[in-house]
Amino acid sequence: MDRQYLIVGNWKMNKTPSQSADLVKEIVDLRRGIASHVAIAICPPFTSLDRCAALLSGTDIAIGAQNLYFGKEGAFTGEISASMLKDLDLKYVILGHSERRTIFHENNELIHQKIKAAQASQLTPILCVGETLNEREAGQTLATIGEQILSALNSVDSNLVIAYEPIWAIGTGKTATPEMAQEVHRFIRELLLKQFGENGQRIHILYGGSMKPDNAASLLKQPDITGGLIGGASLVAESFVNIAAAAPNG
Ligand code: PGA
């Protein structure tokens, strides 16, 4: 079977609803040139979701959110629930991004609750994991990733995506070498196989951290890298779609 790839744009806190609509239209146009073995999804800010979802209906581009709160409903001022997102026909939700772990103090336990809430509403969580530069230099990369993954996966099902994003590579222009990334992706694949048996083989493991059109091909040809989570380069339709176009065929 040919390899299937998944390329996801994480727009972070960028684009007003009208700017988002313009960007989505450009992506829809350019997507026509991309082979079907590459699935594409975008994750705009909450305020743009409704409008973008309407523009994407009838296309093969999926849409997701960047966060949720695990409570079902009620007195959680400022928060958004999984069922609110599902009602917009969203497919994905990014959870545990390092910016949320660092700036908003999210810990592994909270992220675990969010993953369970997402799956209970039939959303596919994109769980982000990654080590700091200090952890890498101290030889703790795999221990950190192992803890982040195992704490998140306790009694959840295999409807999920993992994104490995070394924190020192996010938005810095520094990318992990393909070999560095592959080593961590292999380790993650083994954890998934242990946890889910054969179903673990079908879970996407995305690389994220300064992925660009010119470094995407060498990352995406690694055996255990099945896609990318793209920040900065997803804000320009051409560079986002060119990353998708770099996925090897066959
Ligand atoms: P970047 O961000 O591509 O701008 O490095 C990736 C991410 O944070 O998901």
Side-chain angles (χ1 to χ4, degrees), residues 138-149:
Q140 289 166 357
T141 300
L142 299 185
T144 302
I145 305 293
E147 197 183 325
Q148 289 172 339
I149 295 209

Side-chain angles (χ1 to χ4, degrees), residues 10 12 97 99 165 169-172 208-211 229-233:
N10 172 13
K12 309 193 181 187
H97 191 279
E99 285 147 19
E165 302 202 303
I170 295 178
T172 56
S210 299
M211 202 192 250
L229 182 57
I230 322 298

Side-chain angles (χ1 to χ4, degrees), residues 55-119:
L55 287 166
L56 290 175
S57 108
T59 75
D60 64 352
I61 301 177
I63 178 163
Q66 300 172 20
N67 188 23
L68 57 68
Y69 186 65
F70 67 81
K72 280 200 167 61
E73 61 184 3
F76 303 105
T77 301
E79 295 296 320
I80 306 277
S81 73
S83 60
M84 292 170 182
L85 298 176
K86 189 62 197 174
D87 193 62
L88 290 175
D89 275 338
L90 266 53
K91 177 162 183 177
Y92 296 106
V93 58
I94 297 172
L95 293 173
H97 191 279
S98 62
E99 285 147 19
R100 297 220 55 91
R101 293 177 190 262
T102 312
I103 306 169
F104 302 102
H105 312 293
E106 293 197 6
N107 59 28
N108 286 336
E109 178 48 31
L110 176 65
I111 293 160
H112 178 222
Q113 298 293 334
K114 292 184 174 198
I115 289 180
K116 288 207 296 196
Q119 289 190 340

Side-chain angles (χ1 to χ4, degrees), residues 111-187:
I111 293 160
H112 178 222
Q113 298 293 334
K114 292 184 174 198
I115 289 180
K116 288 207 296 196
Q119 289 190 340
S121 287
Q122 283 76 52
L123 291 164
T124 302
I126 301 176
L127 167 67
C128 302
V129 297
E131 81 286 2
T132 62
L133 190 55
N134 278 347
E135 286 164 337
R136 175 159 285 272
E137 286 172 353
Q140 289 166 357
T141 300
L142 299 185
T144 302
I145 305 293
E147 197 183 325
Q148 289 172 339
I149 295 209
L150 292 177
S151 62
L153 294 194
N154 182 18
S155 70
V156 306
D157 64 49
S158 62
N159 172 30
L160 85 159
V161 172
I162 307 280
Y164 167 56
E165 302 202 303
I167 294 171
W168 47 270
I170 295 178
T172 56
K174 290 185 197 152
T175 328
T177 63
E179 296 71 28
M180 272 158 113
Q182 166 57 25
E183 183 199 6
V184 178
H185 280 240
R186 182 70 228 158
F187 173 73

Side-chain angles (χ1 to χ4, degrees), residues 195-217:
Q195 174 99 5
F196 298 114
E198 246 174 59
N199 286 339
Q201 192 59 45
R202 291 204 291 267
I203 297 174
H204 274 295
I205 311 176
L206 315 181
Y207 170 81
S210 299
M211 202 192 250
K212 303 272 182 310
D214 60 357
N215 61 24

